[in-house]
Amino acid sequence: MIQRTFRGVVHILGGLGAGLAIIAILAAWQLSKGPISLGFLSVYIEDVVNSSQRDVKIRMTDTILTWAGWDRTLD
């Protein structure tokens, strides 16, 4: 009974790990091709920045994620 449960948990964790690895590989592949537009995040970033500033308000038209190579992080 415990062996079957343990085996089932290991299979589920293995499947989740494989799925996350595939997602990470696809994200790295897309980033290596060029910048990725994340325009849907612009509203949330504006809200966070504008909530802490009273005198200055920002407005963003697009949010872009780029990877400049192994020497730098994501920009």
Side-chain angles (χ1 to χ4, degrees), residues 16 19 22 27 32 44 63 70-71 73 75:
L16 288 173
I22 291 170
S32 71
Y44 300 110
T63 301
W70 294 108
D71 296 336
T73 58
D75 295 330

Side-chain angles (χ1 to χ4, degrees), residues 27-59:
W29 173 60
Q30 286 295 324
L31 281 170
S32 71
K33 287 182 11 181
I36 298 174
S37 176
L38 300 172
F40 65 94
L41 292 177
S42 296
V43 177
Y44 300 110
I45 295 170
E46 285 178 11
D47 289 342
V48 168
V49 172
N50 288 333
S51 67
S52 63
Q53 299 291 328
R54 292 186 175 193
D55 299 332
V56 178
K57 298 291 182 194
I58 67 162
R59 183 164 178 246

Side-chain angles (χ1 to χ4, degrees), residues 2-27:
I2 293 176
Q3 274 186 326
R4 272 195 333 209
T5 304
F6 180 71
R7 188 179 308 149
V9 169
V10 168
H11 283 186
I12 289 172
L13 291 176
L16 288 173
L20 289 174
I22 291 170
I23 289 171
I25 289 169
L26 288 174

